[in-house]
Structure formats: structure tokens, C-alpha cells
Amino acid sequence: MSGTLRKVALIAGAVALVATGVGAAAGAGVFGAAGVGAAGTVAGVSTATISSIATYASLAATVASVGAQVTAKKPGAKGSVNSVTIDTDALAPYLMGRTYYGGVLRHDVGYGATLNKVKNPYRGMVIVYSVAGPLEGLEGQYLDYQQIPFSGSAATGYYAGFLYRDFRLGQTPDTALAPFWAGMPNWGADYKLSGKAAILWNLKFDKKAKRFASGVPIQGAVWKGVKCYDPRKDSTYPGGMGGHRWADPADTAAFSAAKATWEWSECPGLHGLKYALGSYALDEADSGAKYRKVFGVGLPAAGIMIEHFIALANVCDANGWKVGGVIFEPGDRWTNLKDILQAGGAEPLFIGGKLGLKINAPRVSLDTVTPADLADDDAEITAMQSWRDRRNGIIPKYRSEANKWDYVQSDLVQIAAFVTEDGEEKNEERRYNLVQGKDHAAQLAGYELYNGRERFPLKLACKPRLRKYGPGDMLTLALPDHDLDGVDAVIQDRSIDPATMVVTLTLMEETPGKHETVLALTGTAPPPPTLVSPEDRDDISSAIIDPTNDQLLIQNSYPVGLSISSSDVGGTSANITISSHTRRYADRDVAITGTTLTALANATDYWVYYDDADRADTTPTFAATTTAADAYLSPDYPARHFVGAITTAAVGGGSTGGTGGTPPGGGEIP
């Protein structure tokens, strides 16, 4: 058996396990009344089924806040989450799985005493990366998509001594972030970010060291995100095993204890359940505070078909499908939920007022529907989905870590038989917002192509015998008069008429073998970009001289009223005399006191210079060199002022004169 076939068999087994009732009947307590299939019937119909129709109908108003209809549009593409968001009223981010995010800037200030002529050399930036903490952990901080090594709070390597950090995972309560360099304005021990994962970036700019000469590079961080409740690890949930717990948030003590049992996960099924249940926090400063919802839908556990999310979690684990990324609120919660479930190849739907799922997964047929099972010979059968809506190719886009965490295209996923059937190529690009793997994206695209060809809806009015089957169950249809002979179909919805006990099933055709084909699909990643190192980035920027900085002013300055002369000193050496003069800069003049350089070689070419980084020294230390390049401004000599050139007097010879620096572009010294 191939690896793909083994995967298909594993998923089919997981789904069949749920269909047999393991985990399908919710226990008493926080999970609500027993579900379909529990003991106790009236006229052959489960009493829980009848009562749940009325009970959960009241939840319709609650679940309506999630979104509109099952026929709502596909999840839309969202903007980049790679850049730091700067907004006074920014949306709250919620980070799932393992992913990179630029964050939301919440405080940004320069401060500190002048350092090497840099005013406010320190910068403190507080960036929030997720609400609904605590997160599992911070994996790394990045500048220009390159991870910066840290030892504790201090950066090592290129940024050692220039970059420090403090971070919090979002505990409640939490302590305030602390800067490395003291004195950060409008920040202190009372500035807490409880419940929010955040980093305080503390940077130092030093002209001499050139760190951050090009500005602060693109910032970001890779986190392991929010933690999830897993019913499969909850021994109080039917079929579960372990210490995970869920509790009603109205019970403060019980919910606090339950929250401590959750674990980090990348499973779309578990994150979908967590978002539907909601995330809660309380005000730690108030001893009587109650938990309040801070993110997510906030449905009660009794309003969710938890067994569907368990089935999806099993499917995702078997497929190796992971969710990773950031969603935001306030916003469209229905779209957020669809984005999460899309990563698991599922869609949300409402069944009897409860939130359930439509899952793409191999299934085992549980029964056969024959003409004897029909309560009405009339049936609503869709011959095929419309030609206009069908696609035979999808170009999937996913978020690629290797490509600076940007959304990139994988190769076209196309089904040749569908192209032949349509008579032309009908391709469409599809972005999977919370998918970060190329093969994962290709397989989701494959399911979309096949599902677009399945006959739907197939609506059958059946006798009470089929009442035990519900959404997600697969049946074989042996109905030749309806052109449904030997057709497998999955129940999408089910309703029961209490007066007649007629069971109306709405099904979608299931093409045999499509799962093996889809789960064997692989994607292709584009080549990764070449990244510029931090050193090269700063070197490039520092080489392009800013027209407002001192180096450019030095480069374009020149002496005014200067004379240079040389004389022989007793036939043993020569000297150079530099007169007092004015150094003219673009923004001011500085009066320079002259001097005499002694003990120099006779009849030798010299270039005279001095260093003055501040452009304010009236008695600089003059020097002479026989290497011309050493007398001029350069990256090695960023404060060098060229004065003039001269050939010293020969032994026994007369005095000589030299030339001084001229204004840029030529000209004479006044």
C-alpha cells in the first residue's frame, strides 16, 4: 500500500470512528445534553433528538453573530502581515500556530543624552504581536527577515551592544516590559500589557559604528501562538483521555483551572474549535472580576458540534495539515472562522441551530439507500453544478517562510479530465490565508476542483429508518430511477418532520478515489530571494553621504586666507609653516590658528591635514603625510580635513611655497 493510500485509510478510519458514536454523544455538564444516538426514544425517535431541535433553535440568534449563510463567499485575501502596523486604533491581532508577524506598534520614542553627536541615540519600540495570551513562546526576532542571535536580552554578533530586548508571552496578570537603557519617556512599571504577547525593542544609533545607518530594518518575530483546548485529551469528554478541560467562563475558578491545561497546537480543527468557543480574560486588578470575551465567537459548548471538530482534528493530523498566521478583530468573525477551517479543508455550517462542519475526508459508507427507503418518489436531483461556476485549474498561493514569509504562487493544480470535459482551460488563483506549506495548498486546491464537479444538492425524503444518520455520514445510493445507482454521497444536512417522521437528507456526491488523487498532489515553491546582510546594508547606506551630515560638510569645506611655506633647518631637516586662516563650511566659518611642523624630510612631497569631527576646533593638531590618500576624507578617516600640499625645501636650498585646498569644483583661495 502506498503512503498516500495509507493516509487515506487512516483518515477514513478516524472519520468512521466518529460516525460510530465515539465522541459523538456529548456528556452532561459543560458539554450539554446527550446528542443523536443516545438511549431513549419516542415512537422510535431519540428523545434527545426531538428536544434538541427546540433547544438549539434558540441558539440560532447566537450563532447568527458568526456570519450569514453556508453559501457565503470563499475566504477573501487579506493584506500583508509582514510589516509593523502603525495605527492609533489598530485591530487586535491573534496569532496561531508557528508564524512570522510584524506586529502592532504601541509606543515609539527616542531618548537619551547626546552620544557621539547623535541626539536621542536610544529608541524604544513596544510592539504587540497577539492578544488572548499566553502564547507558547518567542522563537526569534528578525531584521530584514534575518534572525538576530540573542544571549538573554542582548543581541550578539553584528548588533552586539546596539540592540536589546524584553518580551512577554501575554500572561494575565503580567509585568511591564523594561528597556535596557533607562529613562524611556512615558513608560514605567505601571505600563503593563497583560494578556498580550509583546516585545520592547531597544536600539542605539552611533554614527561612528554605523549600526542602523540605513534606519531600522524591517522588524518582525516568529512566535508559537495561542494555546488550544483538545477534547481528545479530556477524560471528562466521551472518548477523550487526558488532563485537558473546558469550563463555562462564568465559573471563574473552574475556567481558570481549565485554561491552565491547554497546549500549543498547529491543528486547524482545534483552532477552529477554540475560535468558536472564544478566548476570555479578566481584570486582575479587580478581585471580583469575571471572565470576559476578548476574541473569537464565544458560543457555548452546547451550541457546537464538538464531534465534528474532533473529526477534523484527526483528519488534519493524518494529512499533516497545519494552520499558521494572524487574524484580526474587530472584524468579520465568520470570515475568520472560514479562514481557519479552510486550512483544514473544511467549511462551517449550521445544523439544527448548532455549529457544525463540512469536512473533506475519505469515508466509509454506512448504509445503502434503496427505493424502499424513500418516503416520497419525488426527489430534487441536481444533474451537475453550473458550467460557469466550475474550474478545472487553481493556482494556489500560500505564505512561504523561505520567501520572506510572503504569499507566493505554487504551480497550477489542474485536472486534465476536467479540461477535456469543459473544452477549455478555466483557471483561477486562490489564496489560502493561513496555509504555510506548498503541498498543503496544492491538496486544498485539488479538493476544491473535485468538489466543484460533485452533484449537489441531492435532496431525498426518507423513511424514519435513516434518522440515525447525520451530516458527515456517507451513504450509498442505489436509486436507478433517479440516475443514482451505486453513487456514494455524503450527508450535508438533515431535518426531521415530527408530525410525519419523514427524514429529509441533503447530500453531495462523493467521487470514488478522489482522496487518493488529491492527497498525492505536491506543490512547487519559487526560489528564495537573496537577502542583504545587516553589515552590507549599513555599509551601503553609510557610503551614500547624507547632505545634512558632518561628513558632507567636511568634504565640501576649504581653507580661506591660507599660506603654506617650507624652509631648510640647518641642512638636517625641513619644516612646514601653516598660517592662521579660516575654514569655510557650508553652514559656518571656523577661525583656525596656524602652526609649524618640524623634523620633516628635505625635498619631499607632503600633504597636510587635521581631524575635527565636530568642526569646531580652532587649534587642531596638524600633521603631514607622504601618502596623498591619507590626507583626504574617506570611510577610514571620516573627520579628515585636507589643508594643502607642499614640497619641502632642499638641503641648503631656499624656502618653498605650497598650495592650499580649493573650493569644490575648482577656484582660487581668496
Side-chain angles (χ1 to χ4, degrees):
M1 183 183 289
S2 71
T4 301
L5 284 172
R6 282 195 295 271
K7 182 191 292 186
V8 172
L10 177 61
I11 302 168
V15 176
L17 183 65
V18 175
T20 60
V22 178
V30 70
F31 300 108
V36 178
T41 62
V42 175
V45 181
S46 165
T47 55
T49 301
I50 296 173
S51 64
S52 66
I53 294 173
T55 301
Y56 294 127
S58 65
L59 290 170
T62 304
V63 297
S65 65
V66 183
Q69 309 292 332
V70 177
T71 56
K73 295 179 180 179
K74 303 275 185 194
K78 294 183 177 177
S80 172
V81 293
N82 288 4
S83 302
V84 175
T85 300
I86 304 174
D87 193 336
T88 55
D89 193 23
L91 299 178
Y94 178 90
L95 193 147
M96 295 172 290
R98 175 190 173 273
T99 198
Y100 172 97
Y101 178 40
V104 179
L105 184 65
R106 289 306 189 191
H107 189 57
D108 187 3
V109 62
Y111 66 101
T114 299
L115 177 66
N116 292 325
K117 300 190 299 179
V118 177
K119 296 181 179 179
N120 298 323
Y122 308 126
R123 185 173 181 180
M125 305 176 71
V126 178
I127 299 179
V128 170
Y129 295 86
S130 182
V131 301
L135 271 58
E136 175 69 13
L138 172 63
E139 184 175 301
Q141 285 176 245
Y142 290 72
L143 291 175
D144 275 344
Y145 304 102
Q146 297 171 79
Q147 186 170 358
I148 306 303
F150 277 85
S151 177
S153 64
T156 60
Y158 179 69
Y159 288 112
F162 294 86
L163 175 62
Y164 293 83
R165 72 176 183 190
D166 194 20
F167 69 90
R168 298 289 183 272
L169 298 178
Q171 298 287 346
T172 304
D174 215 337
T175 56
L177 294 161
F180 176 79
W181 288 287
M184 182 171 162
N186 300 315
W187 196 260
D190 293 333
Y191 289 74
K192 301 177 183 178
L193 292 169
S194 295
K196 296 179 175 64
I199 300 175
L200 193 162
W201 298 69
N202 219 184
L203 309 88
K204 180 178 74 172
F205 175 62
D206 185 340
K207 286 185 178 181
K208 291 184 176 180
K210 298 189 296 185
R211 302 302 189 272
F212 306 113
S214 55
V216 179
I218 296 172
Q219 297 164 272
V222 172
W223 297 81
K224 289 185 175 180
V226 298
K227 300 179 182 181
C228 294
Y229 163 68
D230 188 345
R232 301 172 300 178
K233 297 182 179 181
D234 183 351
S235 58
T236 68
Y237 185 86
M241 183 178 297
H244 274 231
R245 295 293 183 268
W246 178 262
D248 186 345
D251 187 337
T252 303
F255 190 77
S256 294
K259 193 174 180 181
T261 66
W262 304 343
E263 297 175 309
W264 175 74
S265 174
E266 296 179 276
C267 178
L270 298 183
H271 278 283
L273 176 60
K274 169 74 179 299
Y275 188 76
L277 290 167
S279 297
Y280 295 81
L282 53 75
D283 180 4
E284 66 272 10
D286 182 357
S287 59
K290 297 294 184 180
Y291 276 100
R292 300 182 63 181
K293 183 169 67 72
V294 295
F295 209 91
V297 180
L299 289 175
I304 301 172
M305 301 187 75
I306 294 178
E307 64 273 19
H308 283 204
F309 288 87
I310 292 174
L312 178 59
N314 290 334
V315 168
C316 293
D317 289 350
N319 287 348
W321 289 350
K322 300 177 181 180
V323 66
V326 183
I327 56 177
F328 301 88
E329 286 186 7
D332 188 340
R333 293 191 181 97
W334 181 248
T335 297
N336 281 342
L337 181 61
K338 290 184 73 175
D339 274 344
I340 297 169
L341 296 175
Q342 182 192 53
E347 297 179 36
L349 50 85
F350 299 118
I351 305 168
K354 298 179 70 175
L355 177 64
L357 301 176
K358 173 187 172 184
I359 302 172
N360 285 306
R363 290 171 171 80
V364 175
S365 180
L366 303 179
D367 207 334
T368 300
V369 181
T370 68
D373 291 311
L374 298 182
D376 191 333
D377 287 338
D378 290 336
E380 296 180 23
I381 307 298
T382 299
M384 65 179 62
Q385 297 187 43
S386 71
W387 184 90
R388 182 191 63 185
D389 294 334
R390 296 198 305 266
R391 297 288 178 268
N392 50 49
I394 289 178
I395 303 168
K397 290 189 74 174
Y398 69 99
R399 197 162 177 237
S400 169
E401 179 176 357
N403 295 85
K404 302 195 297 186
W405 293 93
D406 205 355
Y407 286 98
V408 298
Q409 288 184 346
S410 182
D411 283 351
L412 171 70
V413 176
Q414 191 174 68
I415 308 299
F418 296 166
V419 177
T420 301
E421 181 181 329
D422 293 338
E424 64 182 30
E425 290 192 354
K426 297 176 65 181
N427 302 329
E428 183 176 286
E429 182 180 272
R430 177 84 72 248
R431 188 168 113 176
Y432 301 100
N433 288 325
L434 300 177
V435 172
Q436 298 177 160
K438 59 181 180 62
D439 295 346
H440 184 182
Q443 291 160 13
L444 294 178
Y447 269 122
E448 283 199 46
L449 293 176
Y450 271 99
N451 289 342
R453 302 284 161 156
E454 306 287 25
R455 285 186 284 179
F456 173 80
L458 309 176
K459 199 166 186 179
L460 304 175
C462 303
K463 295 176 181 178
R465 186 185 79 81
L466 298 176
R467 69 186 181 278
K468 59 185 175 181
Y469 302 116
D473 294 338
M474 187 169 78
L475 305 175
T476 298
L477 308 181
L479 304 170
D481 291 344
H482 296 87
D483 193 27
L484 296 172
D485 194 10
V487 172
D488 288 335
V490 177
I491 299 173
Q492 305 298 309
D493 195 9
R494 184 203 66 176
S495 63
I496 301 175
D497 185 341
T500 63
M501 301 309 299
V502 170
V503 180
T504 301
L505 301 179
T506 302
L507 306 99
M508 175 181 279
E509 183 181 9
E510 180 82 349
T511 298
K514 75 176 181 182
H515 302 286
E516 179 183 357
T517 300
V518 168
L519 295 176
L521 292 172
T522 58
T524 302
T530 300
L531 300 177
V532 179
S533 71
E535 296 93 330
D536 289 344
R537 191 177 191 273
D538 285 340
D539 283 345
I540 292 169
S541 296
S542 61
I544 303 172
I545 300 175
D546 187 333
T548 64
N549 75 15
D550 289 335
Q551 288 188 2
L552 182 57
L553 293 169
I554 293 171
Q555 186 182 55
N556 289 283
S557 68
Y558 54 92
V560 176
L562 170 70
S563 67
I564 301 179
S565 61
S566 174
S567 59
D568 176 47
V569 182
T572 59
S573 64
N575 60 22
I576 296 176
T577 300
I578 303 126
S579 71
S580 295
H581 60 280
T582 298
R583 190 76 186 191
R584 178 155 294 165
Y585 301 97
D587 60 343
R588 66 175 182 267
D589 288 348
V590 176
I592 304 296
T593 301
T595 190
T596 297
L597 303 177
T598 60
L600 301 172
N602 295 92
T604 302
D605 293 335
Y606 281 97
W607 286 262
V608 180
Y609 66 90
Y610 64 87
D611 291 324
D612 180 11
D614 294 332
R615 302 186 299 114
D617 193 351
T618 60
T619 57
T621 301
F622 290 91
T625 177
T626 57
T627 303
D630 289 346
Y632 292 91
L633 181 78
S634 69
D636 292 332
Y637 307 113
R640 189 138 297 180
H641 291 61
F642 172 64
V643 177
I646 190 172
T647 302
T648 54
V651 175
S655 297
T656 60
T659 59
T662 61
E668 299 179 349
I669 301 174

